[in-house]
Amino acid sequence: MKPISKIAAGVQASTTLAIDALFKQMKAEGQDVVGFGAGEPDFPTPEHIKQAGIEAIEDNQTRYTPAAGLMALREAACYRLKEDFDLDYTPAQIVVASGAKHSVYVTLMTLCDPGDEVVIGAPYWVSYSEMVKQAGAVPVIVTAGEEHDFKITAAQLDAAITDKTKVFMLNSPCNPTGMVYTREELTAIAEVCCRRNIYVIADEIYCNLVYDDKEFVSFASLGEDTKERTIIVNGVSKSYAMTGWRIGYTASNPQLAKVMASYLSHSTSAPSTISQYAAIAALRGPQEDMQVMKRAFEERRDHLVDRMNRIEGVSCIKPQGAFYVMMNMKSFLGKTMYGKRIESADDFAHLFLEKGLVATVPCTAFAAPGFIRWSYATSLHEIDKGLDRLEAFIKNA
Ligand code: PMP
Ligand code: GLU
């Protein structure tokens, strides 16, 4: 047999989805496992959104839509961008895809040629580097440590840019760190991107999950030049508890949007029509359900962070957004637990799942060795159960 594609063979499977699959399998087998793995809201999709999906089926809205998505959905995305961030976009600038992950993917495929470089601030969401590789481009990782709140500086970005750099991947609030860039930090980053003439993919999927009354700043709102070169990625998965509906979208300059739509017309044709109707209801309808979810996440974060920092051997800094906490477990590196030497966060997380029956995500694949990500998109009861088990796991090791 001839070898398969080198690009495809070089892509790693998603750690987050692998852990989630293992967790769900263990649960199905009847094991009393607690899950902090995949980040997806534990709330059901709000009722009026579900009804819109049901009505779409009953109205026989079951055919193809334009490749860039229904006009009414693109208008609804424009409406939200104006309402939420005072940003002016036309439907010709919006492209709907099958989830925000797919939006990032199609954007990278549209912007990058083989050999182009894409700068990614680390810790980063596991899929970014793999999607860059899928586009034949090269991920260039710039790291920010816990002591810098996991946020890279404009100077670090400037130093990483070469003649080959095409794109900077920005994610605020960030998965996995939960950190939110301030207006000043983003303004400095925007200055670098404009001066060095690169595109910015601003993944703003967690824009509605920002706590402590901290300000969320949409990157495209920082000036006309910045807006021209920014591709906003957003979607309904996190804000409206709609991960399974698979709807994401981009807002960009119209030339780019046109090429993205052509690309999609030969790959997915369009996302599920039924999901698109539900997404219109999400973006146009009442936003109160989201506020209720947000308050619940904030309460869980406070509880998780407070308790975790009282457990001997681990610690975390307080995130300001999304629904993830980075647990520092470096004090266990090189130690032996349950007869096994802990060489990495992966060793710790695997043992914690096996002996403690708690699923978490080791952050090695997020370029953050020594950290384990806990998603707190789960109930306070489960959070307490997980932390009780962490205490016992460490004590009995
Ligand atoms: N961006 C980030 C930072 C995410 O955490 C996620 C969720 N995995 C996505 C994009 C993708 O969201 P979706 O489910 O809409 O594909
Ligand atoms: N955003 C989630 C996570 O990071 C979902 C899983 C995925 O798509 O990676 O866990």
Side-chain angles (χ1 to χ4, degrees):
M1 290 283 227
K2 292 198 173 181
I4 64 160
S5 144
K6 287 193 190 68
I7 289 186
V11 172
Q12 307 286 320
S14 161
T15 327
T16 45
L17 295 183
I19 296 216
D20 191 48
L22 184 59
F23 162 71
K24 284 176 180 153
Q25 185 195 325
M26 288 172 78
K27 224 177 155 71
E29 285 165 1
Q31 300 198 55
D32 176 27
V33 57
V34 193
F36 298 90
E40 60 176 338
D42 55 323
F43 300 98
T45 302
E47 205 50 44
H48 69 282
I49 302 176
K50 288 198 286 198
Q51 281 311 320
I54 292 166
E55 276 164 31
I57 296 175
E58 287 177 348
D59 286 352
N60 295 314
Q61 302 293 354
T62 51
R63 304 231 167 124
Y64 294 133
T65 72
L70 286 164
M71 179 54 88
L73 177 51
R74 286 182 277 149
E75 282 169 354
C78 293
Y79 167 75
R80 275 265 67 84
L81 288 160
K82 182 71 183 167
E83 277 288 297
D84 295 349
F85 316 125
D86 199 24
L87 283 169
D88 289 302
Y89 284 96
T90 64
Q93 297 177 272
I94 308 294
V95 176
V96 182
S98 302
K101 185 185 281 186
H102 191 218
S103 293
V104 175
Y105 176 83
V106 70
T107 306
L108 286 166
M109 294 304 276
T110 308
L111 290 176
C112 296
D113 280 316
D116 284 347
E117 292 177 356
V118 177
V119 180
I120 307 175
Y124 60 86
W125 178 41
V126 62
S127 291
Y128 290 157
S129 55
E130 301 314 299
M131 288 194 277
V132 168
K133 287 193 230 159
Q134 283 174 320
V138 181
V140 174
I141 310 302
V142 177
T143 306
E146 192 180 32
E147 65 285 8
H148 296 115
D149 283 349
F150 298 117
K151 290 193 274 190
I152 70 159
T153 62
Q156 277 181 290
L157 171 62
D158 205 5
I161 294 172
T162 71
D163 290 348
K164 292 189 183 150
T165 308
K166 194 58 103 37
V167 188
F168 170 54
M169 276 289 333
L170 174 71
N171 179 213
S172 175
C174 174
N175 173 7
T177 67
M179 290 299 147
V180 181
Y181 281 79
T182 64
R183 181 176 289 277
E184 294 67 40
E185 289 161 345
L186 291 176
T187 304
I189 286 173
E191 186 279 319
V192 172
C193 297
C194 295
R195 178 164 47 78
R196 305 295 301 270
N197 190 22
I198 59 170
Y199 289 101
V200 180
I201 300 179
D203 182 344
E204 303 186 344
I205 189 90
Y206 296 103
C207 65
N208 291 309
L209 299 176
V210 175
Y211 314 120
D212 308 321
D213 296 319
K214 209 175 151 63
E215 180 191 28
F216 168 79
V217 179
S218 181
F219 196 70
S221 70
L222 294 172
E224 266 317 301
D225 190 2
T226 305
K227 188 179 173 211
E228 262 302 290
R229 63 184 65 253
T230 298
I231 301 89
I232 296 180
V233 172
N234 215 319
V236 295
S237 297
K238 315 287 168 167
S239 295
Y240 306 98
M242 291 177 72
T243 47
W245 296 78
R246 312 307 305 130
I247 297 289
Y249 59 88
T250 47
S252 67
N253 70 51
Q255 296 78 11
L256 195 54
K258 199 161 172 245
V259 182
M260 287 167 71
S262 302
Y263 188 93
L264 288 170
S265 74
H266 292 294
S267 45
T268 49
S269 292
S272 149
T273 305
I274 296 143
S275 295
Q276 290 191 57
Y277 277 98
I280 295 171
L283 298 175
R284 289 268 188 201
Q287 306 289 301
E288 283 77 27
D289 291 307
M290 181 167 69
Q291 294 308 324
V292 173
M293 293 191 254
K294 180 178 146 173
R295 279 194 293 276
F297 286 136
E298 189 160 0
E299 189 187 1
R300 294 161 181 191
R301 173 203 63 165
D302 291 345
H303 185 65
L304 175 61
V305 169
D306 185 49
R307 255 200 85 180
M308 190 174 275
N309 279 319
R310 283 189 274 123
I311 297 176
E312 186 92 24
V314 297
S315 63
C316 64
I317 58 173
K318 193 172 190 173
Q320 303 128 349
F323 35 60
Y324 307 103
V325 161
M326 293 281 273
M327 181 177 85
N328 185 326
M329 50 67 64
K330 290 180 185 170
S331 73
F332 293 98
L333 293 174
K335 301 229 168 90
T336 300
M337 299 178 87
Y338 301 91
K340 189 172 167 34
R341 198 177 140 83
I342 303 294
E343 304 283 6
S344 64
D346 302 63
D347 290 343
F348 188 96
H350 283 115
L351 211 55
F352 190 28
L353 180 57
E354 188 192 323
K355 305 282 181 198
L357 292 181
V358 177
T360 52
V361 181
C363 289
T364 319
F366 295 68
F371 290 88
I372 283 179
R373 190 191 81 174
W374 292 57
S375 159
Y376 55 86
T378 187
S379 69
L380 279 172
H381 175 74
E382 292 290 288
I383 290 171
D384 271 328
K385 205 161 151 186
L387 290 168
D388 289 344
R389 289 184 185 187
L390 177 66
E391 277 178 328
F393 174 73
I394 292 172
K395 207 160 117 219
N396 302 332

